Amino acid sequence: MRRRWNWSVLLVLVVGMLFAAAPARGQGEGKTLRQVLAAENLPLDAETLHNLDRTITSGAELDNAAEFVIAYMLYEPSEQLNPPLFVDQFDRRTRRWRSARLGDAQAKAQEIDGECSGSVLSITAAGRRLILDTHINPSAGCLLVLSPNLELEASVYGWLVGRFGEDELVYERSETHSAPVHSAEIALYDLRTKRDTAIFPRKPDQAIRSARIAQLKEFYKTRENWCQKWDDPCDPESFDSELSGDVKTNEAEHALAFVISYEQIQDYPNDEAKPSGPKEVVYVYRHVNDEKKMEWREMLWSDVKAKAGDASLGALVDRSILEKIFGVETK
């Protein structure tokens, strides 16, 4: 799915080595760190919190029984969003603050040539780690994973859609926002081994994707001029797809379930529009942590009902339903 916005996004575009931003008004805009923390009734430690009297922007907060965390950048009159990214963490048990700064040379992702940081959309606690979901553009972002010592442990080019425990991140890969085709990709990143595994799409294509490829192949066959006019690669195996709704997980089975829409995203005049694909295609996986054992099924909801009755998307990752979909495993 395209990136979701929250109140924390105040400056939103990242370009090149600098984070050039257009202001978007929101809660917290124009406040100092001191004002934000005082509103939360948190103690103010001037020796640790060096930005107390600086105006902050483009941040997000995590507030739970164990800790309060705020990640932000410093507001610049030029309205450019410049590194470093600051993280302040308050441990409610020890009543102590810790702070870190992620500089412009630290937050990199292998998939892109440039900085992997920007406006912070959300902060998630994964055990003792922190996961910062940052925004580059409506089709791209980065996950910054911080160790218990607030050091940058990993950066992943995409956004979080699920987890298996503390160590395995299910994420949707970022896309090129200006591309003529937007194809959803979902992957699993193991923080222990640093291994990145593609989950969706996978070869060989099953029936619904195969039919979509055949449909577009027929459409492109006599439309060479159309391809040039719309600067479209006209590759029948590359087509619009979008994650629709949440990803459901079952850690014990390393199972996933989600829905993909193959409806056409790009707009064209009615007489030149690409044919659209099915709106809701259900994907169910198990053993995604082991490529040798990984299995997946592609189904319409009518197929799901035939196999599993009126099960909800979340129920599809239950072991009993997985066995109806894939069969019972031999021990």
Side-chain angles (χ1 to χ4, degrees), residues 73-277:
M73 290 186 181
L74 299 178
Y75 175 77
E76 301 285 351
S78 64
E79 296 190 337
Q80 284 187 324
L81 190 58
N82 297 320
L85 174 67
F86 293 93
V87 181
D88 296 324
Q89 179 189 51
F90 180 68
D91 186 319
R92 296 191 186 280
R93 181 180 60 84
T94 64
R95 305 291 294 173
R96 292 181 179 178
W97 283 98
R98 289 193 305 170
S99 297
R101 54 185 288 166
L102 303 180
D104 58 357
Q106 290 180 309
K108 300 281 188 177
Q110 293 180 354
E111 297 89 342
I112 59 172
D113 181 17
E115 300 304 324
C116 188
S117 181
S119 303
V120 184
L121 295 175
S122 65
I123 305 172
T124 303
R128 297 182 61 205
R129 293 188 181 97
L130 294 174
I131 303 173
L132 277 57
D133 193 334
T134 71
H135 175 85
I136 295 176
N137 65 49
S139 297
C142 282
L143 293 176
L144 305 181
V145 182
L146 305 187
S147 72
N149 296 323
L150 299 185
E151 296 175 348
L152 184 66
E153 181 178 338
S155 57
V156 180
Y157 191 45
W159 53 91
L160 191 67
V161 294
R163 287 193 292 122
F164 294 118
E166 300 177 8
D167 300 312
E168 295 170 295
L169 310 180
V170 182
Y171 74 100
E172 184 172 359
R173 289 175 174 162
S174 293
E175 304 171 23
T176 301
H177 190 54
S178 58
V181 174
H182 290 88
S183 301
E185 295 183 12
I186 298 172
L188 177 72
Y189 186 81
D190 191 322
L191 291 166
R192 298 160 300 189
T193 63
K194 310 303 181 187
R195 182 172 183 176
D196 189 278
T197 303
I199 294 175
F200 171 86
R202 289 189 69 85
K203 293 291 187 179
D205 293 310
Q206 296 185 4
I208 298 172
R209 282 186 66 91
S210 294
R212 180 69 172 143
I213 291 169
Q215 179 188 39
L216 290 172
K217 188 178 293 185
E218 184 66 23
F219 177 79
Y220 294 142
K221 190 163 59 176
T222 59
R223 287 178 170 81
E224 182 176 347
N225 291 338
W226 183 96
C227 298
Q228 294 175 352
K229 176 180 178 179
W230 295 106
D231 192 27
D232 193 298
C234 288
D235 177 356
E237 298 205 19
S238 176
F239 45 85
D240 285 344
S241 58
E242 185 171 12
L243 179 63
S244 177
D246 296 330
V247 175
K248 304 299 183 181
T249 62
N250 177 340
E251 183 179 357
E253 303 293 327
H254 269 87
L256 295 171
F258 52 86
V259 174
I260 292 290
S261 170
Y262 288 113
E263 284 192 311
Q264 185 60 36
I265 296 172
Q266 305 293 82
D267 291 326
Y268 301 94
N270 288 336
D271 59 340
E272 299 192 53
K274 286 184 187 179
S276 205

Side-chain angles (χ1 to χ4, degrees), residues 31-50:
K31 293 183 179 180
T32 64
L33 179 62
R34 182 187 300 274
Q35 290 171 318
V36 173
L37 298 183
E40 299 291 338
N41 296 314
L42 293 165
L44 305 178
D45 180 359
E47 291 187 5
T48 304
L49 303 171
H50 301 299

